[in-house]
Amino acid sequence: MPQLRLALNQIDSTVGDIARNAEAIVRWTRHSADQGAHLVAFPEMALTGYPVEDLALRSSFVEASRTALTDLAARLAGEGLGELPVIVGYLDRSETAQPKYGQPAGAPQDAAAVLHRGEVVLTFAKHHLPNYGVFDEFRYFVPGDTMPVVRLHGIDVALAICEDLWQDGGRVPAARTAKAGLLLSINASPYEREKDDTRLELVRKRAQEAGCTTAYIAMMGGQDELVFDGDSIVVGPDGEVIARAPQFVEGCVVLDLDLPAAQPDAPEGVVDDGLRIDRLVLSEEPLPPYEPELTGGYADRLEDDEEIYSALVTGLRAYVTKNGFRSVLIGLSGGIDSALVAAIACDAVGAENVYGVSMPSKYSSGHSRDDAAELARRTGLHFRTVPIEPMFAAYMDALGLTGLAEENLQSRLRGTLLMAISNQEGHIVLAPGNKSELAVGYSTLYGDSVGAYGPIKDVYKTSIFQLARWRNRAAAERGQTPPIPENSITKPPSAELRPGQVDTDSLPDYPVLDAILDLYVDRDQGADAIVAAGFDRDLVVKTLRMVDTAEYKRRQYPPGTKISAKGFGKDRRLPITNRWREHA
């Protein structure tokens, strides 16, 4: 059988930074060439970053992408890499009108190209466009209508882009009809909990349907709320895994493959789903036989808590570095949420770039102050204490607040203090709210909700405890100091805004609350269905009412790393003004 050495580069691109993305593509192509690769692939929209959102609607950005692609092809040839075919994702525009979609010629496309000998020798666009969850691709793009097949060293390689594998039909059965020896899909598939298992089974299924070895090259890194975990996969036609890349690691998977020879009777014309075969012949003759050196490998999978924690670190690091920030600022209460955020921040940007502030009031317990200081000692982050009591007393003398207004004033004073330090010293503030609190509105606008980024906003409280324990255990196993004080994990959660306050004064126990929220928020179950699952009706009605009436608060919360299938934001879009009640 003919042979091919394939290089899959799961790199981290930045949206809009076309020049630096192109530089990375050149650098990793050179690395691939040094490894003896015969075909090199990069992720979906690697040249522009992903997702580009409304940048796709700016003709100037589309043209910049197209120009950069042409320049990239020329540069690769100029640096002696022109003989090596490179597949790269970019933003393009259609050349013909698409009456079915009401789009004129020039409409944007999520596209990819084959670069060879200094030229763009083949282009194609994503056929299946996702329009669910965080994806709005019908808003931006028109679909491609070709089945691209590249003949390289006597092997037919069919090409696809991300959603082309996730939806039935289209390029997967078309690859079988085209008698391809390899199906190569470039992807920018955002991370979600347990998605790696779903993704593996998908690729195995599609390889069997396509009847050929299938390679799935994925993006790595972070973009605003999205995280990309890499996890590139190569699967044989029988569904057996040949190679799997590490998660949350930028790098190159190089693999020697034995693949079927191109068939002399390979079809032309229109095939499955109305796709027209667009065949490019680069080389008919197989390579001289060589002894395979790189026959596969399976990177160790991360356990569930480590995987989620790695996603949170990756998301925060990307947000800080890609936006040009230098350091982060956290209000340290001594509680579990701010402690976990601090640990994530230290792992993401280094403890030397993390600043913590304890802001005790007259209601703050001694152990909370001690726990905040102990966290700083363990992690090495910068730490100071600024009591808010004098400010609080001044407000109270002027306004005479009572009850909830008095409690929330303390939180808002802390928020103002954090933003003042941020302005003065240039740190960005991290908001410590978790998904349980955001769901039920257990946060104070312009208080604990202030900040530029919320690292744990998509993590339920029960998972917060699990992640904290995992991080401490992982540190101990490495012979390091566990970053989070044990007391922060074991003491009852409390906002400490009044004497003896604990969270369960206002909320159900977190395991019960999170189970209800999972059904309502993540799975869109109604009140009757949740009660049928075994929960008390009065508790369900109360919880759902809190969720529904807190929508206006969530809209004002900063962005944060998405780790679930339905995070607050693009995934879950409900009107603020809304009289519909599941619990009526």
Side-chain angles (χ1 to χ4, degrees), residues 518-581:
D518 176 67
L519 292 171
Y520 188 50
V521 174
D522 294 59
R523 306 190 192 188
D524 286 315
Q525 297 294 305
D528 290 342
I530 298 173
V531 171
F535 297 94
D536 176 75
R537 178 170 289 277
D538 289 342
L539 179 58
V540 169
V541 168
K542 177 185 176 182
T543 302
L544 269 54
R545 182 182 295 116
M546 288 191 290
V547 174
D548 292 347
T549 56
E551 185 64 32
Y552 77 103
K553 284 188 175 184
R554 289 189 288 273
R555 291 287 185 94
Q556 300 181 65
Y557 201 83
T561 306
K562 169 183 153 61
I563 63 158
S564 72
K566 183 162 282 192
F568 290 124
K570 291 182 181 179
D571 279 325
R572 187 177 187 271
R573 310 180 197 185
L574 291 174
I576 295 174
T577 306
N578 175 18
R579 291 292 185 90
W580 170 254
R581 294 290 181 263

Side-chain angles (χ1 to χ4, degrees), residues 16 19 37 67 73 128 130 142 148 199 205 245 327 332 334 429 447 455 504 563:
T67 299
H128 287 312
V142 291
R199 188 183 290 145
K205 177 183 177 183
S327 52
L332 296 179
V429 177
T504 50
I563 63 158

Side-chain angles (χ1 to χ4, degrees), residues 151 177-178 264-271 275-279 281:
R151 184 164 295 178
T177 302
D265 60 344
E268 302 290 344
V270 176
V271 290
L275 295 171
R276 184 186 70 258
I277 291 179
D278 190 1
R279 195 178 297 278
V281 177

Side-chain angles (χ1 to χ4, degrees), residues 278-299:
D278 190 1
R279 195 178 297 278
L280 170 69
V281 177
L282 296 180
S283 50
E284 290 277 12
E285 292 302 315
L287 292 163
Y290 64 91
E291 189 64 30
E293 301 176 20
L294 307 164
T295 56
Y298 197 95

Side-chain angles (χ1 to χ4, degrees), residues 91-421:
L91 176 64
D92 200 0
R93 57 176 171 80
S94 64
E95 299 294 346
T96 59
Q98 303 234 0
K100 179 179 177 182
Y101 300 96
Q103 295 276 9
Q109 289 186 309
D110 180 340
V114 180
L115 311 181
H116 190 237
R117 294 181 178 175
E119 302 289 338
V120 178
V121 293
L122 179 68
T123 64
F124 63 101
K126 184 189 289 188
H127 177 60
H128 287 312
L129 299 177
N131 209 54
Y132 53 85
V134 299
F135 304 108
D136 283 319
E137 297 206 357
F138 273 113
R139 171 182 171 90
Y140 302 115
F141 305 126
V142 291
D145 57 4
T146 65
M147 178 66 246
V149 180
V150 178
R151 184 164 295 178
L152 176 66
H153 302 307
I155 298 165
D156 278 348
V157 181
L159 304 175
I161 301 176
C162 202
E163 194 71 11
D164 293 339
L165 262 63
W166 288 90
Q167 293 188 32
D168 292 335
R171 285 183 172 138
V172 173
R176 176 184 284 274
T177 302
K179 300 184 178 180
L182 173 68
L183 173 59
L184 173 58
S185 178
I186 66 171
N187 308 273
S189 177
Y191 169 80
E192 294 172 6
R193 286 192 317 258
E194 301 173 356
K195 191 174 184 178
D196 57 331
D197 298 328
T198 303
R199 188 183 290 145
L200 175 60
E201 291 310 308
L202 172 80
V203 178
R204 295 179 65 178
K205 177 183 177 183
R206 297 312 189 207
Q208 292 169 313
E209 291 173 351
C212 63
T213 297
T214 298
Y216 179 101
I217 164 66
M219 185 176 283
M220 182 271 164
Q223 172 62 34
D224 294 343
E225 295 179 311
L226 301 183
V227 172
F228 303 94
D229 58 327
D231 192 27
S232 298
I233 304 169
V234 182
V235 172
D238 56 358
E240 291 299 310
V241 178
I242 300 172
R244 195 167 188 186
Q247 298 167 279
F248 302 105
V249 176
E250 193 172 28
C252 177
V253 175
V254 184
L255 186 65
D256 285 314
L257 297 170
D258 292 328
L259 299 168
Q263 299 298 304
D265 60 344
E268 302 290 344
V270 176
V271 290
D272 305 71
D273 214 12
L275 295 171
R276 184 186 70 258
I277 291 179
D278 190 1
R279 195 178 297 278
L280 170 69
V281 177
L282 296 180
S283 50
E284 290 277 12
E285 292 302 315
L287 292 163
Y290 64 91
E291 189 64 30
E293 301 176 20
L294 307 164
T295 56
Y298 197 95
D300 291 338
R301 299 293 91 195
L302 304 179
E303 62 173 290
D304 290 346
D305 290 335
E306 182 179 9
E307 179 185 283
I308 293 171
Y309 190 89
S310 298
L312 299 174
V313 169
T314 299
L316 177 58
R317 180 187 296 130
Y319 190 84
V320 172
T321 58
K322 290 184 178 183
N323 285 292
F325 300 121
R326 301 185 306 276
S327 52
V328 301
L329 177 65
I330 308 167
L332 296 179
S333 67
I336 185 66
D337 293 331
S338 63
L340 181 62
V341 168
I344 292 167
C346 289
D347 290 335
V349 300
E352 68 277 10
N353 297 311
V354 179
Y355 292 75
V357 186
S358 173
M359 297 169 285
S361 74
K362 64 181 180 181
Y363 300 124
S364 298
S365 61
H367 63 73
S368 291
R369 305 181 197 197
D370 294 342
D371 292 341
E374 175 65 9
L375 171 77
R377 186 193 69 78
R378 289 171 176 236
T379 59
L381 60 79
H382 303 276
F383 181 70
R384 75 189 91 172
T385 299
V386 182
I388 66 167
E389 186 56 36
M391 296 171 255
F392 179 63
Y395 269 87
M396 291 299 292
D397 288 343
L399 297 173
L401 302 177
T402 60
L404 189 60
E406 178 185 0
E407 294 178 25
N408 287 344
L409 173 61
Q410 298 166 72
S411 181
R412 291 188 173 112
L413 286 171
R414 291 179 174 125
T416 299
L417 199 156
L418 287 170
M419 293 310 301
I421 296 173

